[in-house]
């Protein structure tokens, strides 16, 4: 029994084809939107590539770009099918291609759903990637004369000013690394010598932060150094003072930024999924209705349109049987290929024996 069967007159088929043609072009524009969205996400991720430890999160924009391009092509094909569905002589050429079209369209919908799921599922991976990447970025901040790291300082400074953040978790992360290069240290200074000697690793550590951590909204001039020394600044108390530095860490700032960006794409992607599903279902109705009218040899008569020729369970069983038959056929072919050399040798032996038996015995 056909699933979700509907009656279609010639007029209804024409209206369905016209409406589906418009919907297909809307889906083409949605595909272009998905592709552009993927490019935008990819660009934003590449901009912060230096503070990320891995590129696993790039799978989301990569899928978006791939699905966007495929969606443009498949929905353009759907628009052509709608045009040819009104011509009984041109529609049959699409019969075989439509099977592949339905498979591709269903796959695109599944991939778009996967994008929505991955946007949430990869949050932990993104956080870990930023944690390691920012930690390395802060550690290499001072290496302005080291090839491959010379732009690290500029990257971190721009990042902290743009996202109004400081350090990895907070500004105290700068206390744990030497962020001033040795080339700018006066090693004849007693203070420099004392700080280096007091550190086990011989690093010059400060209770200070780079200028990019300063919050311009603070009424007090920026305090960058001696942040833990209450005597170093007038009317200042480290424990209770609201420091004129950005309080939020850059890792959390970037996570919030990227997750907001990905979460905002969710409704758009879900809308595209609904449109794509509408095109898929409508085209299936149009296909079966037109084929039904052609089978009755009355293109202008009433026909039936449906989604599945049989019930869901029966269709599943038929597909399963077809797949098993294909697998059995492949196994038989492989077995024949293995047996054939032995069979050829046996046949050759039999032929030789026959020839010997048939040859005359020489007279004595």
């Amino acid at each position: 029994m056909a699933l979700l069967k509907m009656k279609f007159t010639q007029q209804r088929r024409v209206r369905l084809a016209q409406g589906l043609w418009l919907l297909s072009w809307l889906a083409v524009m949605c595909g272009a939107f998905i592709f552009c969205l993927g490019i935008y996400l990819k660009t934003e991720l590449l901009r912060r590539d230096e503070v990320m430890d891995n590129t696993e999160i790039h799978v989301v924009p990569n899928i978006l770009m791939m699905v966007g391009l495929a969606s443009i092509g498949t929905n353009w094909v759907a628009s052509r099918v709608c045009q040819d569905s009104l011509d009984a002589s041109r529609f049959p050429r699409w019969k075989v291609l439509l099977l592949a079209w339905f498979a591709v369209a269903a796959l695109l919908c599944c991939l778009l759903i996967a994008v929505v799921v991955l946007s949430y599922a990869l949050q932990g991976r993104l956080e870990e990637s930023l944690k390691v990447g920012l930690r390395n970025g802060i550690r290499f901040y001072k290496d302005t004369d080291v090839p491959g790291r010379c732009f690290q300082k500029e990257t971190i400074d721009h990042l902290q000013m743009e996202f109004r953040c400081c350090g990895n978790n907070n500004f105290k992360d700068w206390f744990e690394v030497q962020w001033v290069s040795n080339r700018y240290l006066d090693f004849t200074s007693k203070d420099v010598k004392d700080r280096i000697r007091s550190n086990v690793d011989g690093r010059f550590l400060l209770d200070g932060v780079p200028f990019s951590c300063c919050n311009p909204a603070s009424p007090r001039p920026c305090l960058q150094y001696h942040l833990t020394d209450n005597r170093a600044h007038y009317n200042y108390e480290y424990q209770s003072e609201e420091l004129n530095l950005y309080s939020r860490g850059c890792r959390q700032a970037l996570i919030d930024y990227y997750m907001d960006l990905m979460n905002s794409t969710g409704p758009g992607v879900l809308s595209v999924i609904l449109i794509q599903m509408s095109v898929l279902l409508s085209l299936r109705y149009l296909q079966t209705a037109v084929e039904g009218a052609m089978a009755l040899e009355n293109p202008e008569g009433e026909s039936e349109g449906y989604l599945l020729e049989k019930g869901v369970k029966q269709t599943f069983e038929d597909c399963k049987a077809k797949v098993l038959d294909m697998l059995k056929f492949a196994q038989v072919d492989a077995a024949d290929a293995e047996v054939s050399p032995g069979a050829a040798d046996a046949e050759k032996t039999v032929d030789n024996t026959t020839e010997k038996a048939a040859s005359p015995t020489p007279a004595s």
Side-chain angles (χ1 to χ4, degrees), residues 7-58:
K7 296 285 187 180
F8 286 91
T9 61
Q10 171 66 5
Q11 187 178 10
R12 286 191 68 185
R13 287 197 297 271
V14 171
R15 287 180 180 176
L16 177 60
Q18 292 173 341
L20 182 54
W21 184 86
L22 292 174
L23 191 62
S24 298
W25 279 107
L26 176 61
V28 168
M29 290 187 286
C30 289
F33 164 73
I34 290 293
F35 178 71
C36 294
L37 185 62
I39 291 179
Y40 177 69
L41 275 175
K42 185 77 172 180
T43 304
E44 287 298 304
L45 288 171
L46 289 175
R47 284 182 63 197
R48 315 295 171 201
D49 193 50
E50 293 182 0
V51 293
M52 291 188 183
D53 183 54
N54 59 64
T55 57
E56 291 181 1
I57 193 66
H58 286 240

Side-chain angles (χ1 to χ4, degrees), residues 37-302:
L37 185 62
I39 291 179
Y40 177 69
L41 275 175
K42 185 77 172 180
T43 304
E44 287 298 304
L45 288 171
L46 289 175
R47 284 182 63 197
R48 315 295 171 201
D49 193 50
E50 293 182 0
V51 293
M52 291 188 183
D53 183 54
N54 59 64
T55 57
E56 291 181 1
I57 193 66
H58 286 240
V59 68
V60 173
N62 290 345
I63 293 177
L64 284 175
M65 289 188 289
M66 180 183 67
V67 171
L69 286 176
S71 180
I72 292 173
T74 54
N75 289 295
W76 177 80
V77 171
S79 68
R80 293 298 304 274
V81 173
C82 293
Q83 291 176 329
D84 291 350
S85 66
L86 303 178
D87 189 339
S89 62
R90 296 167 63 185
F91 185 76
R93 65 179 180 176
W94 294 104
K95 186 172 183 179
V96 176
L97 291 176
L98 280 176
L99 295 175
W101 188 94
F102 286 122
V104 172
L107 178 62
L108 293 181
C109 292
C110 293
L111 286 175
L112 287 174
I113 294 172
V115 165
V116 176
V117 174
L118 286 173
S119 297
Y120 294 95
L122 290 178
Q123 181 175 354
R125 298 292 183 88
L126 175 63
E127 185 173 356
E128 185 62 27
S129 175
L130 287 170
K131 179 181 178 180
V132 177
L134 284 168
R135 186 174 61 202
N136 291 334
I138 292 173
R139 189 175 60 175
F140 301 140
Y141 180 88
K142 68 181 187 302
D143 297 338
T144 52
D145 52 353
V146 177
R149 301 176 187 171
C150 52
F151 294 105
Q152 198 70 53
K153 176 183 179 300
E154 182 181 358
T155 300
I156 295 295
D157 284 334
H158 278 301
L159 178 70
Q160 293 189 144
M161 289 187 290
E162 181 180 352
F163 287 91
R164 303 174 69 86
C165 59
C166 184
N168 193 341
N169 298 308
N170 52 55
F171 68 92
K172 294 180 182 178
D173 293 326
W174 290 103
F175 298 175
E176 301 171 3
V177 297
Q178 179 181 337
W179 54 271
V180 179
S181 176
N182 287 340
R183 66 187 295 188
Y184 302 116
L185 293 178
D186 180 9
F187 287 94
T188 62
S189 170
K190 183 178 180 300
D191 180 59
V192 172
K193 290 179 180 179
D194 291 344
R195 285 185 179 275
I196 292 176
R197 287 171 184 168
S198 64
N199 185 262
V200 176
D201 299 324
R203 295 179 297 169
F204 180 73
L205 301 183
L206 288 170
D207 55 344
V209 296
F211 77 97
S212 52
C213 282
C214 294
N215 185 357
S218 173
R220 182 169 188 162
C222 185
L223 302 178
Q224 288 181 247
Y225 303 104
H226 307 293
L227 295 176
T228 58
D229 186 0
N230 291 333
R231 295 173 298 176
H233 309 286
Y234 176 73
N235 193 22
Y236 176 81
E237 188 175 348
Y238 169 66
Q239 298 295 336
S240 61
E241 183 77 12
E242 185 177 346
L243 300 179
N244 52 1
L245 306 174
Y246 295 126
S247 57
R248 186 171 61 160
C250 289
R251 175 159 55 102
Q252 189 59 48
L254 284 171
I255 290 172
D256 292 344
Y257 172 72
Y258 283 121
M259 293 313 299
D260 287 346
L261 199 60
M262 291 185 183
N263 291 342
S264 63
T265 66
V269 172
L270 290 174
S271 300
V272 173
I273 293 173
L274 291 176
I275 293 173
Q276 188 65 57
M277 288 295 297
S278 300
V279 172
L280 192 152
L281 297 177
S282 300
L283 187 57
R284 177 59 178 167
Y285 271 119
L286 181 63
Q287 177 201 13
T288 52
V290 172
E291 289 179 353
M294 294 173 63
L296 296 173
E297 298 183 354
N298 183 14
E300 297 184 359
E302 187 179 75

